[in-house]
Amino acid sequence: MTNWKIDETHSEIGFKVKHLMITNVSGYFTRFSGAIQTISDDFHDATITFEAAADSIDTKNAQRDEHLRNGDFFDATQFPTISFVSRKVKKIADEQYKLLGDLTIKGQTHPIELDVTHNGTTTDPWGQQKAGFALKGHLHRTDYGLRWNSTTEAGGIVLSDEVKLNMEIQLVKAVSGN
């Protein structure tokens, strides 16, 4: 069994939400961790756990971020952690996978499927073995209790229900004693 962990400084957990149905607003979670265990070199048998701190949301707008942390959205005081636990990794092609698991946000757990591209494995200048992945997917925020919305004067909605997920993950192989 090989153990890997997410290298936070070289990874991004991002999302996009349509605002006023004309543009996407991007955001990130800045504090997160993850553990991966695998027997194979190609990760097809990996088991994955992941957590992000709900209060670490960052959309480059302090007022919006504070709104996202409160009860209208993540309620980060009562639900401080967003978590993911894998159920299955399906190899589709050489470096293409489907990752199936359970995502929990604001105390609500639902299955989610992510498209994964394995971008390779290498050794960094300090001798650490690294593996890179790009993940994409989407969710419906109302499924997770993130129901706040408003309408414009013209009757349009402010936020889409669909949230696009975009993640760049770099793993570092655990060495004995870590």
Side-chain angles (χ1 to χ4, degrees), residues 63-138:
Q63 184 178 1
R64 179 173 48 224
D65 294 346
E66 203 48 49
H67 187 207
L68 290 168
R69 289 182 189 109
N70 79 25
D72 283 343
F73 288 97
F74 289 101
D75 198 357
T77 302
Q78 186 173 345
F79 302 100
T81 305
I82 296 166
S83 64
F84 172 84
V85 177
S86 67
R87 284 189 279 119
K88 184 175 187 167
V89 176
K90 293 195 292 191
K91 190 167 185 171
I92 305 301
D94 284 345
E95 304 301 331
Q96 303 298 315
Y97 300 82
K98 293 280 186 189
L99 173 58
L100 289 74
D102 295 314
L103 179 65
T104 302
I105 301 173
K106 203 173 176 180
Q108 309 256 341
T109 302
H110 296 283
I112 190 166
E113 182 176 301
L114 302 170
D115 295 320
V116 180
T117 302
H118 181 209
N119 293 323
T121 304
T122 192
T123 302
D124 73 11
W126 300 273
Q128 296 177 311
Q129 191 169 358
K130 302 280 188 104
F133 297 87
L135 295 87
K136 292 184 184 283
H138 68 276

Side-chain angles (χ1 to χ4, degrees), residues 13 19 147 156:
I13 306 301
H19 183 256
R147 300 188 191 290

Side-chain angles (χ1 to χ4, degrees), residues 3-13 29-37 43 47-52 84 99 128-133 135 167-174:
N3 294 309
W4 298 78
K5 64 180 183 176
I6 293 178
D7 179 348
E8 271 185 71
T9 59
H10 297 107
S11 299
E12 291 183 352
I13 306 301
F29 289 93
T30 60
R31 291 190 328 275
F32 50 87
S33 63
I36 295 84
Q37 294 183 323
F43 294 90
T47 57
I48 302 156
T49 58
F50 169 83
E51 288 189 346
F84 172 84
L99 173 58
Q128 296 177 311
Q129 191 169 358
K130 302 280 188 104
F133 297 87
L135 295 87
M167 296 160 273
E168 292 289 333
I169 303 295
Q170 189 172 114
L171 302 180
V172 60
K173 186 177 183 178

